[in-house]
């Protein structure tokens, strides 16, 4: 009973913040509902494969376009990543938004993290459902590495 009174008093004292957070939640839900299907259906089906075609990437553009594009891409990726984290507790597709944000960001180990997320059954199923609705082929996800670990390989010799 005491905890309920404390929570009610806190909510009354922070009413403006709670309304602002609720509004932000609705805005991020609407944006994710509009943007995520577009991004997922426009993604190449071989995006997660190591041998994917890189000729359309920013790296093959003019230096100025490459620099500006890289900054904008990472900025958008950071915003989507943070919005996805918020959506884990608020309405919206948090994990998918985090995945899209990660896909736009550039950092070491990014591809391994993306593949791990896409291999999660709920995530892969949701992505391919969106692609099917957009008349796109399913994503090609690399199979898990079946090679023995280095220590096991040495033990076999």
């Amino acid at each position: 009973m005491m905890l309920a009174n404390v929570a009610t008093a806190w909510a009354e004292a922070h009413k403006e913040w709670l309304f602002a957070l609720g509004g932000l939640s609705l805005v991020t839900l609407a944006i994710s509902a509009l943007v995520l299907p577009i991004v997922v259906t426009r993604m190449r089906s071989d995006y997660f494969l190591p041998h994917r075609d890189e000729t359309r990437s920013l790296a093959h553009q003019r230096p100025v376009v490459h620099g500006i594009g890289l900054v904008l891409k990472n900025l958008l990726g950071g915003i989507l990543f943070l919005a996805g984290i918020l959506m884990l507790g608020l309405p919206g597709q948090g994990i998918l938004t985090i995945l899209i944000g990660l896909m736009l960001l550039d950092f070491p180990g990014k591809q391994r993290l993306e593949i791990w997320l896409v291999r999660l059954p709920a995530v892969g199923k949701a992505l391919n459902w969106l692609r099917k609705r957009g008349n796109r082929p399913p994503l090609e996800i690399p199979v898990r590495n079946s090679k023995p670990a280095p220590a096991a390989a040495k033990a076999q010799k």
Side-chain angles (χ1 to χ4, degrees), residues 22-99:
L24 177 65
S25 172
L26 291 175
V27 168
T28 57
L29 175 64
I31 290 172
S32 71
L34 294 172
V35 172
L36 284 176
I38 294 168
V39 171
V40 170
T41 55
R42 294 201 56 185
M43 181 188 328
R44 296 187 325 265
S45 62
D46 69 344
Y47 176 83
F48 296 104
L49 298 180
H51 66 274
R52 66 182 183 223
D53 180 20
E54 295 288 341
T55 58
R56 297 183 345 193
S57 71
L58 281 173
H60 296 333
Q61 302 295 325
R62 293 187 174 145
V64 172
V65 173
H66 172 75
I68 293 172
L70 200 59
V71 168
L72 292 176
K73 182 175 83 94
N74 280 294
L75 184 63
L76 179 61
I79 291 169
L80 287 174
F81 180 78
L82 292 175
I85 289 174
L86 287 174
M87 283 185 234
L88 290 174
L90 303 170
Q93 300 182 11
I95 300 241
L96 288 178
T97 306
I98 288 171
L99 179 63

Side-chain angles (χ1 to χ4, degrees), residues 148 151-157:
K154 287 180 184 178
Q156 289 177 353
K157 288 184 179 181

Side-chain angles (χ1 to χ4, degrees), residues 14-15 22 42 48 116 120 133 147 155:
H14 297 93
K15 201 181 294 187
R42 294 201 56 185
F48 296 104
W116 179 81
L120 294 173
R133 287 192 64 201
K147 295 179 184 175

